[in-house]
Amino acid sequence: MRTAVTGGAGFIGSTLVDRLRKDGHQVLVIDDLSRGRVDNLDAALATADVDLEVLDIRDDKIGPLFETFAPEVVFHLAAQIDVRNSVADPINDADANILGTVKIGSAAIAAQARKIVFMSSGGSIYGSPEHLPVSEHAPVNPLSPYACSKISAENYLNCFRQLHGLDCSHIAPANVYGPRQDPHGEAGVVAIFAREMLSGGNTFLFGDGGNTRDYVFVEDVVTALIAASGTAGSGQRFNIGTGVETSDRELHALLAHATGVAAEPTWMPARLGDVRRSALDAALARTELGWTPLTSLSEGIARTVDFFRKLDTTSSDTAPSSDTAPSTLV
Ligand SMILES: C[C@H]1O[C@H](OP(=O)(O)OP(=O)(O)OC[C@H]2O[C@@H](n3cnc4c(=O)[nH]c(N)nc43)[C@H](O)[C@@H]2O)[C@@H](O)[C@@H](O)C1=O
């Protein structure tokens, strides 16, 4: 199958590209490298099956590029991913995430692609829901421009599906973690703790350390993206998470165990804007996509720590990939 992956040089995107390539697909990566890294694609680009086009998703060249490559499926992961940045600069966020999606969707329609699989954000679009784990039936309640832009992009793609027959599904993950996550970003606490513990730095816990998150391993998210590229789940959003809440304190202890570092965290006041509890109900993905998370948190953390440990010994560059590239947070 011919596939295009926007944001394919980022943390999630490049993991997706690796899987698509191993499954025998042709991949066109579109990434402006604002956050993504070519290093993430080193193995993929060494093959004849993967090409990288360094381009902003809003560039007019996207149309002709898609017409020439003729992807059957477009995985759209490129986005402005910083929630705080979306609050400070909602116009930039809307420009990248809404207009960028309209551009990618229009190019996919013109190139007669079959489907677009969109990276939404299960962690942000429901706000602070009453019941956890939250299902897709819960009302959306965007508390940031970022969440607004993700919901808006879903709506545009659903509209294009009805207007033009370009099929779509939306993958809405919880807190994604794993190798290649950017430890220098605003979010991504697993990568942040791993890097700090391995390099002898400080780790911080905010408030009482009792915030909870649903941590889902990047390989499991990639499995969901690929499962959604078939005919199932037409026009639907799929929450992708484990349904399990892990507190910041518990996460810190798991990372300390995996790195073998016993350092105590530095306690800081609670951060304004931090959600208290978060977990996603992925029942729809289980029934419709046959998806289930295969990686336990302890195994995923061990693999992530292993990645950062090797990076330390093989490179002086301590800044591996970013979240989903040009910019995703989920
Ligand atoms: C939907 C939503 O999802 C994510 O936001 P997040 O859940 O806040 O992600 P995080 O990895 O920054 O924090 C997770 C937990 O970990 C705690 N925590 C402790 N110590 C540190 C610490 O040192 N750094 C950070 N960042 N968090 C820490 C922090 O207080 C929180 O309880 C982002 O993708 C975000 O962009 C987004 O939109």
Side-chain angles (χ1 to χ4, degrees):
M1 178 166 76
R2 298 172 78 77
T3 63
V5 180
T6 72
F11 156 49
I12 305 173
S14 65
T15 311
L16 171 65
V17 171
D18 283 343
R19 180 83 65 83
L20 288 168
R21 175 178 63 87
K22 283 180 189 143
D23 289 351
H25 302 297
Q26 291 276 119
V27 191
L28 172 65
V29 174
I30 292 149
D31 198 308
D32 69 355
L33 301 181
S34 56
R35 291 174 58 97
R37 292 169 57 98
V38 178
D39 307 9
N40 289 336
L41 293 171
D42 275 352
L45 290 173
T47 71
D49 298 326
V50 179
D51 283 313
L52 168 65
E53 197 69 42
V54 180
L55 205 58
D56 188 294
I57 52 171
R58 291 156 293 185
D59 197 297
D60 284 341
K61 290 188 195 123
I62 290 287
L65 195 63
F66 273 19
E67 299 237 6
T68 306
F69 183 73
E72 178 181 339
V73 173
V74 176
F75 294 92
H76 179 35
L77 280 68
Q80 190 300 113
I81 63 165
D82 188 330
V83 174
R84 281 181 216 178
N85 179 280
S86 81
V87 175
D89 192 351
I91 293 174
N92 174 56
D93 181 83
D95 195 10
N97 294 0
I98 303 177
L99 290 182
T101 300
V102 172
K103 191 97 190 188
I104 290 294
S106 302
I109 291 162
Q112 297 183 308
R114 176 175 58 79
K115 187 164 191 175
I116 183 160
V117 180
F118 173 63
M119 182 61 93
S120 187
S121 168
S124 70
I125 61 177
Y126 303 109
S128 296
E130 247 173 69
H131 302 290
L132 289 178
V134 64
S135 86
E136 296 85 354
H137 303 300
V140 292
N141 179 23
L143 300 176
S144 64
Y146 171 79
C148 292
S149 70
K150 286 289 175 180
I151 295 163
S152 180
E154 284 188 9
N155 285 336
Y156 266 101
L157 293 175
N158 285 348
C159 166
F160 285 175
R161 175 175 161 268
Q162 298 186 68
L163 281 178
H164 306 291
L166 171 69
D167 198 4
C168 64
S169 289
H170 317 295
I171 293 298
N175 284 56
V176 188
Y177 73 100
R180 298 181 185 163
Q181 190 163 29
D182 183 1
H184 303 288
E186 171 236 339
V189 68
V190 174
I192 293 169
F193 281 174
R195 286 290 308 137
E196 290 305 318
M197 288 179 185
L198 289 173
S199 63
N202 278 335
T203 53
F204 299 95
L205 280 177
F206 301 97
D208 62 0
N211 289 348
T212 67
R213 297 291 184 271
D214 179 348
Y215 293 96
V216 61
F217 192 59
V218 63
E219 294 277 359
D220 287 327
V221 175
V222 162
T223 301
L225 286 161
I226 291 174
S229 68
T231 50
S234 187
Q236 277 179 328
R237 180 198 308 135
F238 294 101
N239 286 350
I240 296 298
T242 66
V244 176
E245 290 178 69
T246 301
S247 74
D248 297 350
R249 263 193 317 269
E250 290 167 327
L251 187 77
H252 193 277
L254 285 167
L255 263 302
H257 177 73
T259 55
V261 172
E264 286 296 310
T266 304
W267 290 91
M268 303 288 282
R271 293 190 302 187
L272 198 65
D274 259 351
V275 169
R276 179 64 177 166
R277 293 176 59 202
S278 175
L280 297 183
D281 177 356
L284 196 65
R286 269 197 296 281
T287 53
E288 294 220 11
L289 301 179
W291 180 85
T292 191
L294 296 177
T295 316
S296 69
L297 185 53
S298 55
E299 184 196 336
I301 283 177
R303 289 173 61 183
T304 307
V305 166
D306 194 45
F307 169 82
F308 284 109
R309 219 190 278 277
K310 283 187 182 135
L311 198 75
D312 267 349
T313 55
T314 57
S315 159
S316 57
D317 179 1
T318 54
S321 152
S322 69
D323 262 352
T324 42
S327 54
T328 292
L329 140 83
V330 286

